[in-house]
Amino acid sequence: SLTVIYFAINSKPFHSSPNIVEKQALLIPVTTEKGQEWGVNIHKNKKYLAYTYRPEGQDNWQIKIKNLELGEEGLLTDNTINSQSPVWSVKDDALFFIKNTEEACNIWKAKNVWENPSFEQITECGNTVSISPLSLGHQEEWLYYTHLNKSDKFISARVNLTTNISEDLTAPPSFSFGDYASFISPNGKHLAFLRAISFS
């Protein structure tokens, strides 16, 4: 289950113990169900939580959402298909996530997730399963993701959410397996990503 951790750090006076910092952690469980959880994402208002959840004994991952103030929770997707990597909209209560089939992945957007969800496919993200996190620009003009290119290398890319036009952002060298998990900075000026040069 997910756990929220709060750290209270209190430094003792320098003259008594200059190299000691006391840390006290208060652990508060957020979920208590049986199964596996992955890819947690918190809404900008800190009220809502989304994460990838696989119930005990099931094969497929689902997107689960929770209202942290009310303690209410529910599944946004069902167990007929793998759904992963949720990220909240920076504008409203919509949620972006990846749907995986055996041979392809697609990025979707769910609107009105708490009442009557509606779903819209945004773009494709390759011909293989992807669990790479999604990232949104600070004005939600761009959605950043990873996909497999024609050379069978993973590369970081982005799609314009207004025009639906995609563009590649990285060019991994021939000796690498590709680039994964791109993250855009809050001001939209810097992109960080992982480059894999071996399976480890």
Side-chain angles (χ1 to χ4, degrees):
S1 63
L2 299 174
T3 304
V4 175
I5 302 176
Y6 295 93
F7 285 101
I9 301 177
N10 300 307
S11 298
K12 290 186 176 181
F14 181 81
H15 62 275
S16 61
S17 53
N19 298 319
I20 297 177
V21 176
E22 291 183 356
K23 296 181 180 180
Q24 297 174 340
L26 175 64
L27 304 180
I28 303 173
V30 177
T31 61
T32 56
E33 65 251 343
K34 293 183 178 180
Q36 295 175 294
E37 294 145 344
W38 188 261
V40 64
N41 193 268
I42 299 176
H43 193 278
K44 65 176 183 178
N45 64 14
K46 308 298 188 292
K47 179 179 178 180
Y48 302 128
L49 187 74
Y51 56 98
T52 306
Y53 168 62
R54 183 165 64 181
E56 191 174 44
Q58 293 190 15
D59 293 330
N60 290 336
W61 294 87
Q62 305 165 56
I63 303 297
K64 195 161 190 179
I65 54 177
K66 183 167 186 175
N67 185 316
L68 296 174
E69 292 182 352
L70 302 178
E72 298 175 353
E73 58 186 38
L75 291 170
L76 182 65
T77 59
D78 58 41
N79 63 359
T80 60
I81 195 168
N82 269 308
S83 300
Q84 293 168 312
S85 304
V87 61
W88 288 104
S89 165
V90 298
K91 295 181 177 179
D92 50 35
D93 293 343
L95 190 71
F96 295 87
F97 62 96
I98 294 175
K99 277 187 179 181
N100 284 311
T101 61
E102 291 182 0
E103 298 180 352
C105 69
N106 297 280
I107 298 173
W108 287 73
K109 180 181 181 180
K111 300 178 182 177
N112 303 317
V113 296
W114 298 104
E115 298 175 2
N116 186 24
S118 62
F119 298 89
E120 170 191 4
Q121 184 174 333
I122 302 299
T123 191
E124 298 177 351
C125 46
N127 56 2
T128 188
V129 171
S130 174
I131 61 172
S132 204
L134 303 175
S135 181
L136 279 167
H138 69 297
Q139 295 181 340
E140 204 167 304
E141 180 182 6
W142 297 95
L143 175 70
Y144 297 81
Y145 64 100
T146 297
H147 77 100
L148 196 66
N149 69 5
K150 295 179 180 178
S151 301
D152 288 334
K153 289 187 182 297
F154 287 97
I155 56 177
S156 294
R158 67 180 182 176
V159 58
N160 188 294
L161 295 175
T162 302
T163 65
N164 287 329
I165 296 175
S166 298
E167 62 183 16
D168 295 338
L169 298 174
T170 63
S174 58
F175 62 82
S176 75
F177 291 93
D179 302 332
Y180 302 82
S182 59
F183 294 92
I184 191 69
S185 64
N187 63 8
K189 294 182 178 181
H190 304 283
L191 185 75
F193 58 91
L194 302 177
R195 174 160 289 170
I197 57 174
S198 71
F199 280 119
S200 59

